[in-house]
Amino acid sequence: MTVRIPSRALVVLAGPSGSGKSAWAKRWFRTNQVVASDDLRAVVGEHEHDQRAGGDAFDVLDLVVERRLARGLLTVVDTLGMDGERHDRWLEVARRHRRPSHLIRFDTDAKTCRSRNRARPRPVPAKVLSAQLERWSEVREQLGEGFDAVHDLDPDAGEDVAVVPDLFADAAAGTERQAADPVALSFGLQVARFDWPGDNEPISRRLGEIATEAEAAGFTTLWVMDHFVQIPQVGREWEPMLESYTTLGYLAARTSTIGLGTLVTGITYRNVGHLAKIVATLDVLSGGRARCGLGAAWFEREHLAYGYPFPPLAERYELLADAAEVLPLYWGPGAPAFDGRRFSTPEAICYPRPIQEHIPLMIGGSGEQRTLALVARHADACNLFGDPATVRRKRAVLAERCAAAGRDPADIEITHLSSALCAADRRALSARVDELRGDRVSPEDFSRQTSAGTPEDHIGRYRELADAGVQHAIVSLADVGHPGAVESFGEVVAAFTR
């Protein structure tokens, strides 16, 4: 059995002396994550066995719990854990800071506890241990009251722990549902970085390999960002960033079935008529595989660096609305005139026509007042972010916007963009996290930022998103340039496409 512990949680270990909880904690947690009253006695007393300093040690322990939970750090408390009133104080702190709370009870038999105690350099007096064992039998059940989860462990039964990002805490249930009652979910791959291992390897070669690997792994779409400078959410400004549509043309030549698009095209970066021609050309040269993602653009510094005007958001939204209306005219029959709010043309002419009768139009963003209303009127797909609860809420808002526009919400595909890091097992995952994270980011923070998990974790996560209404999951792999990264996530894709 594996106990899944969210990386921002309060974890209380409870059991009498000799139950094995301390050795178990040292095996599964880092030193700074485990806070023990014995260690704190050494800080506030003459030494760790200074029983007179016990009260002061617990005062310091309360402060440590408070400060760690306030910062969102995993906090593992290793004490006897039989003080219900102290548990209540810690639980109040966890609730105040919106941190999950887990109690781990160690049900080690009395004989083993006594044997381990006798083997200690400074054993607990036999009468004290007997009192602990008796007290444990009295309070064991009620100690679990108020915790979000309670786990009963036997350290000698091979049970282990996995510290996971919060979104994986309940992934096991989703994985079981997918195995018992599979649902379909398609996947796209976003390539957001081009600073890969092996500085001497040409970007073009590795990018082409990633594209063919994605196609072989079952991804149905491939996306790049529409930026000229790497964005601060992803990397540093001096990292390589390829021009999006030139890149998609290259990828069209390296693949045969996968859909190709930008996530999403900044509406201020190209004349709308020129954009229509670019996307139509991509569709023709790729054999009908173009996708058109549109967004209002946001990166002001990039606009200034490349000489693009950066109009107010209201004007950018008007241009976005014009594009959503006029692009299908360019790609359709005839050459109709269009007179919009920010863009007009006497003839929306585009030859050759796209191969697809209708190029799918995605509008990025999930703003409930303007963006989802625009999606309801003009788009074939929207792109959402966040957890399943957020997806459900946005879908409900979209349904309202569709009702106002007289459109069936079932006509709009729900796509979802998120980061992911995937490795075959916990050991490989930990090694990849340490390889990628750098010195200034903790393993827990980096794991949260990249949604680091095993295939089983991700299957459960994406099953939850599918249950919330996501139809196409677009994944930005944190290690996409590393050999085997796309293949590792392919196991997740296969779970939803078998």
Side-chain angles (χ1 to χ4, degrees), residues 347-409:
E347 52 177 345
I349 184 170
C350 183
Y351 294 100
R353 300 289 189 205
I355 290 178
Q356 297 179 85
E357 184 176 343
H358 180 78
I359 293 179
L361 187 67
M362 172 200 287
I363 293 179
S366 55
E368 297 180 3
Q369 299 303 318
R370 287 184 290 192
T371 305
L372 292 183
L374 190 60
V375 168
R377 293 196 302 272
H378 300 294
D380 303 293
C382 64
N383 186 245
L384 304 179
F385 308 88
D387 59 16
T390 300
V391 171
R392 287 188 176 92
R393 188 179 73 253
K394 298 296 183 181
R395 283 187 64 215
V397 174
L398 179 59
E400 294 175 1
R401 303 289 177 262
C402 286
R407 192 168 177 209
D408 185 351

Side-chain angles (χ1 to χ4, degrees), residues 69-393:
L69 291 176
R71 295 187 59 203
L73 302 176
L74 179 64
T75 305
V76 182
V77 184
D78 178 14
T79 70
L80 295 178
M82 300 186 203
D83 186 343
E85 291 184 3
R86 193 170 299 276
H87 285 188
D88 290 342
R89 289 200 293 274
W90 295 337
L91 289 171
E92 190 279 326
V93 173
R95 284 190 289 267
R96 177 158 29 95
H97 294 296
R98 299 181 180 181
R99 310 302 181 201
S101 56
H102 288 240
L103 175 68
I104 300 181
R105 297 184 299 207
F106 287 79
D107 288 319
T108 308
D109 64 89
K111 181 179 179 180
T112 301
C113 288
R114 290 190 172 95
S115 174
R116 287 174 176 166
N117 183 55
R118 287 193 297 270
R120 288 177 167 179
R122 293 178 64 95
V124 173
K127 290 183 178 180
V128 173
L129 179 55
S130 295
Q132 289 180 11
L133 292 168
E134 183 177 353
R135 174 68 174 158
W136 178 246
S137 65
E138 294 173 354
V139 304
R140 180 189 179 282
E141 293 301 324
Q142 60 191 22
L143 286 178
E145 296 176 1
F147 283 86
D148 295 320
V150 178
H151 313 280
D152 296 315
L153 291 188
D154 178 355
D156 299 320
E159 295 148 328
D160 57 14
V161 68
V163 178
V164 299
D166 294 356
L167 76 168
F168 292 137
D170 300 320
T175 305
E176 292 174 2
R177 286 202 306 277
Q178 183 62 17
D181 181 24
V183 301
L185 178 66
S186 61
F187 284 85
L189 176 65
Q190 184 198 47
V191 181
R193 304 185 74 155
F194 305 95
D195 58 330
W196 302 316
D199 293 336
N200 295 324
E201 183 176 9
I203 289 177
S204 60
R205 181 187 306 162
R206 183 65 192 123
L207 180 60
E209 292 170 351
I210 290 170
T212 55
E213 289 167 4
E215 205 166 55
F219 287 93
T220 58
T221 59
L222 182 60
W223 308 81
V224 295
M225 298 195 300
D226 187 31
H227 287 289
F228 309 111
V229 176
Q230 181 59 276
I231 61 176
Q233 300 93 319
V234 175
R236 297 160 297 186
E237 61 184 17
W238 57 84
E239 293 177 4
M241 176 55 63
L242 302 180
E243 196 283 322
S244 59
Y245 280 100
T246 308
T247 303
L248 292 176
Y250 171 75
L251 294 174
R254 293 296 304 264
T255 57
S256 57
T257 62
I258 202 165
L260 302 165
T262 57
L263 194 63
V264 285
T265 303
I267 199 59
T268 51
Y269 293 141
R270 299 164 190 82
N271 169 278
V272 174
H274 187 200
L275 177 61
K277 171 61 74 172
I278 291 171
V279 176
T281 300
L282 175 63
D283 197 63
V284 169
L285 297 182
S286 67
R289 293 186 281 136
R291 305 288 186 270
C292 184
L294 294 176
W298 59 270
F299 197 6
E300 182 177 12
R301 183 188 173 198
E302 186 173 63
H303 286 74
L304 297 176
Y306 279 81
Y308 290 107
F310 188 67
L313 181 59
E315 294 182 20
R316 302 200 309 272
Y317 263 106
E318 289 179 344
L319 183 59
L320 180 61
D322 285 347
E325 292 182 44
V326 76
L327 287 175
L329 299 182
Y330 274 104
W331 301 328
F338 177 80
D339 188 17
R341 292 150 289 253
R342 296 286 163 181
F343 177 83
S344 299
T345 178
E347 52 177 345
I349 184 170
C350 183
Y351 294 100
R353 300 289 189 205
I355 290 178
Q356 297 179 85
E357 184 176 343
H358 180 78
I359 293 179
L361 187 67
M362 172 200 287
I363 293 179
S366 55
E368 297 180 3
Q369 299 303 318
R370 287 184 290 192
T371 305
L372 292 183
L374 190 60
V375 168
R377 293 196 302 272
H378 300 294
D380 303 293
C382 64
N383 186 245
L384 304 179
F385 308 88
D387 59 16
T390 300
V391 171
R392 287 188 176 92
R393 188 179 73 253

Side-chain angles (χ1 to χ4, degrees), residues 413-464:
E413 183 180 42
I414 306 298
T415 76
H416 180 276
L417 173 64
S418 63
S419 299
L421 181 62
C422 186
D425 53 42
R426 299 286 170 201
R427 180 174 296 180
L429 185 65
S430 178
R432 182 53 56 92
V433 166
D434 286 340
E435 178 184 1
L436 297 176
R437 67 183 172 88
D439 296 334
R440 296 187 178 183
V441 183
S442 70
E444 292 75 30
D445 272 349
F446 188 80
S447 295
R448 283 194 296 269
Q449 294 166 11
T450 58
S451 302
T454 64
E456 292 77 13
D457 292 331
H458 286 291
I459 291 169
R461 170 197 180 195
Y462 283 104
R463 175 55 191 260
E464 291 175 352

